Amino acid sequence: MSLPHVAIVGATGAVGIEMLRCLERRQFPVGQLTLLASARSAGKKLLFRGQEHLVQELTPASFAGVTIALFSAGGGISRDFAPHAVAAGAVVVDNSSAFRMDDRVPLVVPEINAADALRHSGIIANPNCSTAIALMALYPLHQVFGVKRVFASTYQAVSGTGAQAIAELAAQTRAWAAEARAWDDAKLATPPQVYPHQIAFNALPQVDSFLPSGYTKEEMKMEQEGRKIMHHAAFKASVTCVRVPVFRSHSIAISAEFEKPITAAAARAVLEQAPGLDVIDDPARQQYPLALDVAGRDHCAVGRLRQDCALDNGLAFWVVGDQLLKGAALNAVQIAELLL
Ligand code: NAP
């Protein structure tokens, strides 16, 4: 059997570049590689296994002969071009939110519901980044203790917004330092381009747009996507998503309420066996998961395990994951591995 012909749509983006690295690092059996982006990037070269590959402009005809197409160029591009890829015979793994809640499209975290991936009709969706990272710790606990609901706050890195947001945080931080400003004079005159407010030295309680309920779209994904991935229709999640001036890795503080009694020790025993997850939880030595340490790593990490003092059968914990990897590129490549 010939090796898969893999296409990456959005190959030049923050996630696309990581997809390329994941394919290489995990020795995915790539027969042929097609790198696609906008006309702006056509002609750029990206390295894969030591060889330069030309980036081409995405068109409806880009998918001839492609067997697996990893999409990461935004929901609009996925809606417009994924059907062309499927018509050409490819299986699409889509990183956008375009198809996640479509009943015909499996939404997959391989450590949780790998079997769902095989029931696809051409498209498989990759979950929201914070949801995937939260579920890496929540699902193993759910299997033993039965989760009812969670209250969560996210601390989301700027690379979750893409390459332009990374540049914006870097530029604002450099501008503040270059002007040798005092600590209490951190508000810059230059207006932000990507976020509605300055992100450097700030915390923005808005990720994505607001819904009539007052929650943002991002905040509702944990409940909606969590129900689908865990096959748990009654799961409830009240989430506040916050963008913080961190370059890479999302952190999430979760208070979860379970059907069965839970202790920190019992939770730790479960989480220590969970795939793709490290337990880093030694408060006496100030050891807990940190965005800077988890950045660039495939595993998510959980710590600060404690019995929640405000919930019955509750556990509070802190989970951190590299959202470019487990929240995007790595999860997509893991899904592609299920298709081999
Ligand atoms: P990004 O850094 O802004 O990259 C966007 C990519 O899409 C670039 O390769 C860009 O190509 C390409 N693109 C834009 N317009 C295009 C067009 N008209 N035709 C073809 N390609 C086009 O964004 P990102 O952070 O990688 O995110 C990409 C997708 O992944 C989004 O749907 C996002 O919601 C999702 N996602 C991101 C993360 C994350 O942590 N960043 C996590 C989960 C999901 P050019 O370079 O030519 O402009």
Side-chain angles (χ1 to χ4, degrees):
M1 201 183 78
S2 59
L3 297 179
H5 176 172
V6 178
I8 302 180
V9 179
T12 52
V15 174
I17 296 278
E18 292 298 335
M19 285 174 162
L20 206 53
R21 289 181 186 156
C22 283
L23 290 172
E24 182 164 324
R25 188 159 42 83
R26 296 173 71 85
Q27 301 183 333
F28 191 92
V30 178
Q32 198 179 328
L33 185 65
T34 296
L35 302 179
L36 301 163
S38 77
R40 294 179 293 276
S41 300
K44 272 190 190 167
K45 288 174 185 155
L46 297 176
L47 271 185
F48 180 67
R49 294 184 184 150
Q51 287 199 328
E52 285 186 335
H53 290 258
L54 215 55
V55 177
Q56 302 168 40
E57 181 183 356
L58 172 67
T59 73
S62 297
F63 300 98
V66 169
T67 42
I68 298 177
L70 307 176
F71 270 68
S72 193
I77 298 289
S78 294
R79 270 187 289 272
D80 290 348
F81 288 90
H84 292 293
V86 174
V91 178
V92 168
V93 181
D94 182 38
N95 199 40
S96 80
S97 56
F99 305 109
R100 286 180 191 149
M101 298 313 297
D102 185 326
D103 287 341
R104 294 159 300 178
V105 175
L107 178 63
V108 176
V109 176
E111 289 85 349
I112 299 175
N113 61 334
D116 288 356
L118 305 178
R119 286 185 221 116
H120 70 83
S121 353
I123 303 177
I124 304 169
N126 220 28
N128 165 260
C129 42
S130 299
T131 302
I133 291 164
L135 293 187
M136 287 297 287
L138 188 63
Y139 183 71
L141 296 171
H142 167 59
Q143 284 181 296
V144 178
F145 304 103
V147 68
K148 286 164 70 176
R149 57 179 181 161
V150 301
F151 301 90
S153 293
T154 69
Y155 303 69
Q156 298 187 213
V158 294
S159 53
T161 314
Q164 288 178 332
I166 299 170
E168 179 149 298
L169 174 59
Q172 289 175 352
T173 309
R174 286 198 189 100
W176 179 81
E179 292 167 24
R181 286 159 171 255
W183 70 269
D184 57 353
D185 181 23
K187 193 152 185 178
L188 301 167
T190 316
Q193 304 286 315
V194 177
Y195 296 115
H197 306 281
Q198 180 180 322
I199 182 65
F201 318 110
N202 219 351
L204 312 183
Q206 179 187 355
V207 178
D208 210 335
S209 53
F210 286 99
L211 296 164
S213 63
Y215 285 95
T216 63
K217 284 186 187 167
E218 179 89 352
E219 287 165 349
M220 294 315 298
K221 288 174 184 172
M222 200 175 295
E223 177 173 288
Q224 291 160 351
E225 298 184 20
R227 287 178 176 181
K228 183 166 174 177
I229 295 164
M230 295 194 287
H231 297 260
H232 182 1
F235 173 63
K236 289 186 175 176
S238 174
V239 182
T240 301
C241 288
V242 183
R243 187 74 62 187
V244 293
V246 164
F247 280 113
R248 188 165 179 158
S249 298
H250 290 356
S251 307
I252 309 160
I254 301 179
S255 283
E257 189 176 51
F258 296 91
E259 301 281 355
K260 296 183 188 158
I262 186 167
T263 63
R268 185 187 320 258
V270 169
L271 293 170
E272 279 173 347
Q273 302 301 318
L277 186 73
D278 296 329
V279 178
I280 304 173
D281 192 29
D282 189 354
R285 292 168 185 237
Q286 296 170 19
Q287 295 299 305
Y288 28 71
L290 294 172
L292 280 178
D293 296 337
V294 170
R297 295 181 55 178
D298 284 353
H299 280 201
C300 296
V302 65
R304 296 295 322 278
L305 300 174
R306 59 213 190 270
Q307 209 150 355
D308 192 287
C309 63
L311 293 175
D312 294 332
N313 301 340
L315 185 81
F317 55 99
W318 173 253
V319 55
V320 182
D322 185 328
Q323 92 296 337
L324 286 171
L325 292 176
K326 191 59 200 168
L330 169 67
N331 199 73
V333 171
Q334 285 178 300
I335 292 173
E337 286 168 354
L338 297 173
L339 300 171
L340 291 175

